[in-house]
Amino acid sequence: MPYDFETLVSRKNTGSSKWNSMYNSVKDELSDDIIPFSIADMDLKHPPQITKALQNYVAENILGYTHPHPAYTDAVCHWMKTRHNWEVEAEWIIPFPGIVPAVYGIVRTFTEPDDGIIIMPPVYYPFYSAISSNGRKTVENLLIDNNGHYEIDFADLEEKAKDPKNTMLIFCSPHNPVGRVWTPEELEKVGQICLDNHVLLVSDEIHFDLVMPGYHHTVLSTVNPAFAANTIVCTAPTKTFNLAGLNVSNLVIQNDTLRSKFKNYIESLGQIGVNALGLKACQVAYTECADWLDNLIALLDTNKKLCENFMKEHIPQIEVRTLEGTYLQWWDCRKLNLSEKELEKLNQEKAFLFLDEGYIFGKSGSGFERINLACPTAYIEKALLRLEKALEN
């Protein structure tokens, strides 16, 4: 089936967080060919299978209290098996309205006030707030920038894991924003360090379907059977199929004790089910939309290479880091010799380029920019030309 990845659906005046942020950051009127490249949702049309299914569902069903049913859990298990070679049992799945609120809840459920929680900056910024807002302490295990290739500092990770005050690692796989897809060997080391030191491993794998050609994602808990009992794997269809507004995710907790404890936390919230349309969209995505995803990845690969080649030819001061996974490319802009605010001002006021500033991912992200590539290619081409012109001026 042919899919439309060229038509832009304008989200102006629709309540879009990403688009509202762009319009609120400038005083000038923006032309229609300027779009934001910040928050991680797509400016692409939904898979037609999902659109049709939701239309039919609204027309034929009641939008009352809805709980996951066997067709839903079967779809999740089917996707994990066919896409990730991961055998998941239905009872391990805990649907939850979004991974970010789930991470907040996991921190609250499995750690105590003043516990240290390890993260690997530069990293997805809600990890910081999930820790601090719950009265826990952020422990940074900084990634090593090895000539443009990010690596895990295992010696530092082991040292911090040995501290009994540090009880959890929030792990990002694939990593946002640096775009690494961790190898099985790297995952083996992470899992073993956590297991040996009684550190609970929370693996945020929301981008696990979005892997570039030539790379392969491995679900952390599948590396070693022993890891599964010490790991909470956070998955969702929301990034893959652009469904963030439907608030649906699937936590996979194989350990019975951990799963029971988190279910008790959910009960304490008075949480009643998950978004009915989110459940339906996830079911359809995981049973009917694999071909759409394959075509999406081809588009992302095109957009990735466009940015790489453009920078090499026109703006060599900006080094584009290799994107292995996610649709979020990491640009090293430090050779422009601009401060954080000067770089932000140049992008927004001169190039009308609205990105996520690197510093929001931690101090080690200063001087970098994160660009969302999930949009029609033509809009990236126009943005790159605006950036080149702004730098020339």
Side-chain angles (χ1 to χ4, degrees):
M1 177 188 295
Y3 298 105
D4 181 4
F5 290 112
E6 298 180 0
T7 301
L8 179 80
V9 179
S10 174
R11 299 163 71 191
K12 186 176 183 179
N13 299 324
T14 64
S16 163
S17 297
K18 179 165 64 173
W19 285 58
N20 282 358
S21 178
M22 175 180 72
Y23 287 116
N24 291 338
S25 64
V26 294
K27 298 178 181 179
D28 300 317
E29 185 71 22
L30 299 176
S31 63
D32 291 340
D33 62 348
I34 295 175
I35 67 171
F37 301 96
S38 52
I39 295 172
D41 61 20
M42 303 184 200
D43 285 302
L44 295 167
K45 298 179 74 172
H46 289 110
Q49 299 94 327
I50 294 177
T51 301
K52 183 178 180 181
L54 292 184
Q55 290 170 339
N56 292 339
Y57 188 89
V58 170
E60 299 169 1
N61 290 273
I62 300 298
L63 298 176
Y65 297 119
T66 306
H67 292 280
H69 45 86
Y72 174 83
T73 51
D74 287 350
V76 176
C77 293
H78 166 80
W79 185 261
M80 301 308 174
K81 173 61 177 176
T82 58
R83 202 79 189 183
H84 298 284
N85 195 31
W86 184 21
E87 296 279 1
V88 171
E89 295 184 15
E91 66 179 18
W92 301 348
I93 302 168
I94 299 182
F96 199 79
I99 287 182
V100 169
V103 170
Y104 275 68
I106 289 167
V107 167
R108 196 170 301 140
T109 302
F110 297 105
T111 65
E112 299 295 332
D114 292 327
D115 277 8
I117 299 179
I118 305 169
I119 57 174
M120 297 180 177
V123 74
Y124 185 49
Y125 50 88
F127 290 179
Y128 285 96
S129 54
I131 296 167
S132 61
S133 67
N134 282 303
R136 278 62 170 172
K137 294 181 179 178
T138 300
V139 179
E140 294 189 330
N141 169 227
L142 297 175
L143 294 178
I144 299 171
D145 187 352
N146 186 4
N147 295 319
H149 180 76
Y150 282 95
E151 299 172 353
I152 296 170
D153 187 339
F154 290 106
D156 181 67
L157 175 61
E158 186 165 24
E159 179 182 345
K160 286 168 177 170
K162 286 180 178 179
D163 186 339
K165 295 179 181 178
N166 300 332
T167 59
M168 178 180 288
L169 166 65
I170 305 178
F171 187 63
C172 200
S173 178
H175 193 281
N176 172 14
V178 308
R180 273 299 316 278
V181 172
W182 307 113
T183 66
E185 293 75 20
E186 289 170 314
L187 297 174
E188 173 74 38
K189 291 180 181 179
V190 170
Q192 196 63 52
I193 288 171
C194 289
L195 193 63
D196 290 344
N197 294 283
H198 308 290
V199 171
L200 181 62
L201 212 171
V202 181
S203 188
D204 176 3
E205 305 194 20
I206 193 171
H207 293 278
F208 70 158
D209 296 318
L210 298 161
V211 176
M212 296 300 102
Y215 298 92
H216 175 75
H217 175 82
T218 302
V219 176
L220 194 148
S221 62
T222 67
V223 175
N224 183 326
F227 297 166
N230 188 50
T231 304
I232 297 174
V233 182
C234 303
T235 78
T238 49
K239 289 289 182 277
T240 308
F241 299 102
N242 204 31
L243 306 174
L246 293 182
N247 295 332
V248 59
S249 65
N250 296 290
L251 310 184
V252 180
I253 308 179
Q254 190 167 336
N255 182 303
D256 293 340
T257 302
L258 296 179
R259 188 169 65 253
S260 178
K261 192 170 183 179
F262 194 71
K263 284 184 175 180
N264 290 339
Y265 163 75
I266 294 174
E267 289 182 9
S268 75
L269 297 176
Q271 179 70 42
I272 303 175
V274 181
N275 185 306
L277 295 181
L279 294 173
K280 184 63 179 178
C282 179
Q283 178 186 337
V284 174
Y286 282 170
T287 55
E288 301 181 27
C289 298
D291 182 58
W292 182 88
L293 174 57
D294 291 338
N295 281 265
L296 169 69
I297 289 173
L299 170 77
L300 298 176
D301 190 46
T302 295
N303 291 349
K304 172 190 108 167
K305 291 174 180 175
L306 168 65
C307 292
E308 290 173 344
N309 294 333
F310 187 92
M311 294 305 186
K312 286 179 181 178
E313 183 174 351
H314 299 279
I315 315 176
Q317 305 97 309
I318 296 179
E319 178 187 342
V320 177
R321 297 299 175 86
T322 300
L323 179 64
E324 300 176 358
T326 82
Y327 52 68
L328 306 163
Q329 197 173 54
W330 193 231
W331 291 358
D332 183 352
C333 304
R334 290 174 295 179
K335 290 182 181 178
L336 294 176
N337 295 318
L338 299 173
S339 69
E340 292 175 350
K341 293 304 180 183
E342 287 171 339
L343 181 59
E344 187 172 8
K345 184 175 181 179
L346 169 77
N347 284 327
Q348 294 188 1
E349 298 182 12
K350 304 297 182 182
F352 299 110
L353 183 57
F354 301 89
L355 309 170
D356 270 331
E357 304 303 317
Y359 61 78
I360 69 174
F361 302 96
K363 292 181 180 179
S364 56
S366 180
F368 289 78
E369 298 282 357
R370 191 190 77 170
I371 180 170
N372 181 338
L373 301 179
C375 65
T377 303
Y379 291 85
I380 296 178
E381 291 173 338
K382 294 175 182 178
L384 292 172
L385 291 172
R386 292 198 304 271
L387 178 60
E388 181 184 26
K389 184 177 180 180
L391 288 169
E392 288 175 351
N393 292 338

